[in-house]
Amino acid sequence: MLLLIELTGVSKVYQSKDSVVHALRDIDLKVEKGEIFGIIGHSGAGKSTLLRCVNLLEKPTSGTVKVGDVVMTGLSEKELQERRKKIGMIFQHFNLLSTATVRENIAFPLKISKYPKKAIKQRVDELLELVGLAEHGDKYPAQLSGGQKQRVGIARALANDPDVLLSDEATSALDPQTTDSILELLLDINRKLGITILLITHEMHVIRAICDRVAVMEQGRIIESGEVLDVFLNPQHATTKEFVSQVSEELDTEILRSKAEGRIVRIHYMGEMAYEPILYETVRATDATFVILQGTVSRMKETPYGQLIVELRGSQEDTDQIIERLRSRGLEVNIIL
């Protein structure tokens, strides 16, 4: 495991004459090189503060921040400005220069870094192609859609060939279809460039679509973290369960209880098992039957994932045997009723 971002004991306190606000409380966070790591939480949970502590736009009150082999919290202001060039940032509201063209917006950080004109043109051309805006280079932000503006923001964040891309609610101002296209772009960038992405969001759909791991925040603390599939399938904290419910169909257990003739179970499939007739084969080996009450097959990043709500009708012995055999095949089976 090669770590690219490491926060140790990071706290952030805002103090005024009348109040003290603990925005972050003793945060420990490790992000591996090349992964997409998501941080989810409600407004005020501390997500944005945490993200801005990575590039020290917010300076921690205590604790250390390390990016690559550099301890960010130990740098002088001049050293910090230089190091920030390798940490790209995408903003929720794009932050584009309205009087500059798309090309000029993307070139802006390169001009500040005093790149030669020829190198700037070449880099901007590459980035326009990468984000799908090759034909829009001479347009102004007012002539672009929200999704196109965010693509410009992403290209600008990549201009200095960063090691890390920080995404601050990059899709929350966009409609669902445009959100999906931006998430696909971020995933494509991660695959092609191997760039590490740390993103914050309040939408579980974003986490499920592209993240490898996730941390859930509440009141300035990380309350739960792990592989996205693990957290999604087995959320521990009430806040995590609330977020997971955003992308899970609700099950009315009272209606099921009144209609059920057998045992109702929830079966989770992962990987290629989502497309195999495991349930049919397992039930066929007994005298029981089954009824599918609800089912979905989707993907979490690149992993197929399926969920079935099934009523097993048969003897206690047969249904116990079915559940045991399904679990022995690596499926997660939860008894609902």
Side-chain angles (χ1 to χ4, degrees), residues 166-192:
L166 305 179
S167 173
D168 186 1
E169 297 271 14
T171 60
S172 64
L174 305 174
D175 63 73
Q177 186 175 355
T178 307
T179 290
D180 287 342
S181 72
I182 294 297
L183 294 178
E184 288 172 11
L185 175 60
L186 290 175
L187 188 55
D188 188 52
I189 287 167
N190 171 257
R191 288 170 177 157
K192 286 180 177 176

Side-chain angles (χ1 to χ4, degrees), residues 1-65:
M1 180 178 71
L2 183 60
L3 294 179
L4 194 62
I5 301 172
E6 185 173 7
L7 277 63
T8 306
V10 169
S11 294
K12 178 66 179 180
V13 179
Y14 296 101
Q15 194 159 1
S16 68
K17 194 174 183 180
D18 303 318
S19 65
V20 176
V21 177
H22 293 268
L24 298 177
R25 301 170 184 262
D26 199 28
I27 296 289
D28 291 332
L29 180 70
K30 295 179 179 180
V31 179
E32 296 175 23
K33 183 177 175 60
E35 76 173 330
I36 303 179
F37 194 107
I39 298 170
I40 192 168
H42 294 299
S43 296
K47 308 184 302 295
S48 291
T49 303
L50 189 155
L51 193 75
R52 291 165 69 86
C53 279
V54 173
N55 58 7
L56 261 68
L57 290 177
E58 292 282 359
K59 295 190 177 180
T61 305
S62 60
T64 59
V65 177

Side-chain angles (χ1 to χ4, degrees), residues 65-240:
V65 177
K66 190 176 181 182
V67 179
D69 57 358
V70 177
V71 179
M72 302 288 288
T73 41
L75 298 179
S76 67
E77 194 60 39
K78 185 177 180 181
E79 291 170 330
L80 191 54
Q81 288 178 4
E82 192 62 29
R83 181 58 182 148
R84 281 186 184 133
K85 292 177 183 178
K86 289 298 181 180
I87 304 175
M89 194 160 185
I90 312 166
F91 300 93
Q92 178 180 354
H93 296 295
F94 322 130
N95 288 14
L96 302 180
L97 301 170
S98 60
T99 57
T101 65
V102 168
R103 281 184 168 279
E104 289 166 344
N105 268 282
I106 298 171
F108 184 70
L110 297 171
K111 288 180 179 178
I112 291 177
S113 298
K114 297 182 179 178
Y115 275 63
K117 284 186 178 181
K118 187 176 180 180
I120 290 175
K121 184 183 183 306
Q122 182 178 340
R123 181 62 175 157
V124 170
D125 285 343
E126 290 172 358
L127 291 169
L128 284 169
E129 189 69 35
L130 179 65
V131 301
L133 293 177
E135 298 176 1
H136 300 278
D138 296 323
K139 291 183 179 179
Y140 289 87
Q143 298 172 285
L144 304 177
S145 67
Q148 289 171 332
K149 289 176 184 176
Q150 193 55 283
R151 286 172 182 267
V152 178
I154 291 170
R156 181 185 56 191
L158 293 171
N160 274 314
D161 193 22
D163 306 314
V164 178
L165 197 57
L166 305 179
S167 173
D168 186 1
E169 297 271 14
T171 60
S172 64
L174 305 174
D175 63 73
Q177 186 175 355
T178 307
T179 290
D180 287 342
S181 72
I182 294 297
L183 294 178
E184 288 172 11
L185 175 60
L186 290 175
L187 188 55
D188 188 52
I189 287 167
N190 171 257
R191 288 170 177 157
K192 286 180 177 176
L193 306 181
I195 192 169
T196 304
I197 301 176
L198 177 62
L199 64 85
I200 63 170
T201 184
H202 61 273
E203 299 174 290
M204 196 64 187
H205 166 70
V206 172
I207 299 295
R208 185 177 71 169
I210 67 170
C211 292
D212 300 295
R213 290 192 297 143
V214 61
V216 185
M217 289 193 71
E218 185 175 89
Q219 296 182 345
R221 300 183 187 277
I222 291 177
I223 56 171
E224 191 166 349
S225 64
E227 302 285 335
V228 171
L229 272 170
D230 294 338
V231 172
F232 187 87
L233 294 180
N234 193 26
Q236 299 297 307
H237 196 278
T239 300
T240 312

